[in-house]
Amino acid sequence: MPMISLSRYERRRPAAILLATAVLAALPFAGDTARGEETVRQVLPGAPVAAAAPQTARAKAPDQTEIERFCSNIADAARDRRYALQAAELKQLQAGIDERMKALDAKKAEYETWLKRREVFLARAEDGVVQIYAGMKPDAAAERLAIVNADLAAAILMKLDSRKASVILNEMDQKAAATLTGIMASAARRVDPS
């Protein structure tokens, strides 16, 4: 292995770096009384404790005029930022409302579709029920209509042929026939009695 010869300066260089590093590392621990820092002292057991020196304020507290000047300088920027945040929040809320309105319109359309289907079904069922009672014998129809809700029975009788309805009413009990007749008469009025 060849031998490298170093100059005297190059041989002392690592030692100088090490010395500079040690000095710089020791600086924070050195007592600096000019800044009001306390030095570390060794206290022996049983020795009286020295009173702690009051620490001086490191930074001067700003006076009231500086605070007011600072606040007045940033007031417009703070107000603008507040308005921008409120505008962004309003846009976000508006987007949420728009989404809910679309969902509500979709539900409304779905409800209208179901309502139309229900009305068609009820019209068919109503015609079917009327046809069933029209095909029954009058005494059997009278017996069944006496058991059914009075409003429904009156509606069925009104849709039946008048001859068939009169025969069914003739076969009914007097009280039930009178009740149904009263309902049919009030429904046939063109003016609301109330």
Side-chain angles (χ1 to χ4, degrees), residues 116-138:
K116 287 177 184 175
R117 290 176 64 188
R118 181 180 177 270
E119 288 173 356
V120 168
F121 172 76
L122 288 177
R124 286 182 187 162
E126 200 172 281
D127 291 339
V129 170
V130 171
Q131 292 301 322
I132 290 171
Y133 278 98
M136 291 175 76
K137 292 183 180 178

Side-chain angles (χ1 to χ4, degrees), residues 120-137 140-141 144-145 148-149 151-161 164 168:
V120 168
F121 172 76
L122 288 177
R124 286 182 187 162
E126 200 172 281
D127 291 339
V129 170
V130 171
Q131 292 301 322
I132 290 171
Y133 278 98
M136 291 175 76
K137 292 183 180 178
R144 303 301 185 279
L145 286 175
V148 176
N149 183 352
D151 292 332
L152 179 61
I156 291 171
L157 284 173
M158 286 181 70
K159 291 208 173 197
L160 286 173
D161 180 41
K164 183 75 172 177
I168 292 173

Side-chain angles (χ1 to χ4, degrees), residues 60-178:
K60 180 184 165 191
D63 61 349
Q64 191 64 26
T65 58
E66 289 180 32
I67 294 171
E68 290 172 359
R69 193 171 53 235
F70 175 76
C71 290
S72 66
N73 286 341
I74 66 164
D76 292 335
R79 186 180 321 110
D80 292 342
R81 179 66 180 152
R82 241 187 341 263
Y83 290 153
L85 288 174
Q86 289 174 350
E89 187 177 349
L90 286 175
K91 285 180 183 178
Q92 190 177 23
L93 290 173
Q94 183 64 39
I97 289 172
D98 290 342
E99 286 179 25
R100 289 180 182 161
M101 290 294 290
K102 288 178 185 176
L104 184 62
D105 288 340
K107 289 288 184 185
K108 181 181 174 186
E110 181 182 350
Y111 174 74
E112 288 174 352
T113 303
W114 277 103
L115 186 62
K116 287 177 184 175
R117 290 176 64 188
R118 181 180 177 270
E119 288 173 356
V120 168
F121 172 76
L122 288 177
R124 286 182 187 162
E126 200 172 281
D127 291 339
V129 170
V130 171
Q131 292 301 322
I132 290 171
Y133 278 98
M136 291 175 76
K137 292 183 180 178
D139 58 337
E143 185 179 319
R144 303 301 185 279
L145 286 175
I147 299 171
V148 176
N149 183 352
D151 292 332
L152 179 61
I156 291 171
L157 284 173
M158 286 181 70
K159 291 208 173 197
L160 286 173
D161 180 41
S162 60
R163 287 186 183 169
K164 183 75 172 177
S166 65
V167 174
I168 292 173
L169 278 173
N170 190 31
E171 293 291 328
M172 282 186 141
D173 179 42
Q174 290 179 357
K175 287 185 181 180

Side-chain angles (χ1 to χ4, degrees), residues 6-20:
L6 297 174
S7 70
R8 191 173 71 168
Y9 173 74
E10 290 173 337
R11 280 183 290 195
R12 289 185 186 171
R13 188 172 175 194
I17 292 174
L18 216 63
L19 180 63

Side-chain angles (χ1 to χ4, degrees), residues 42-50:
Q42 182 177 9
V43 178
L44 298 173
V49 179

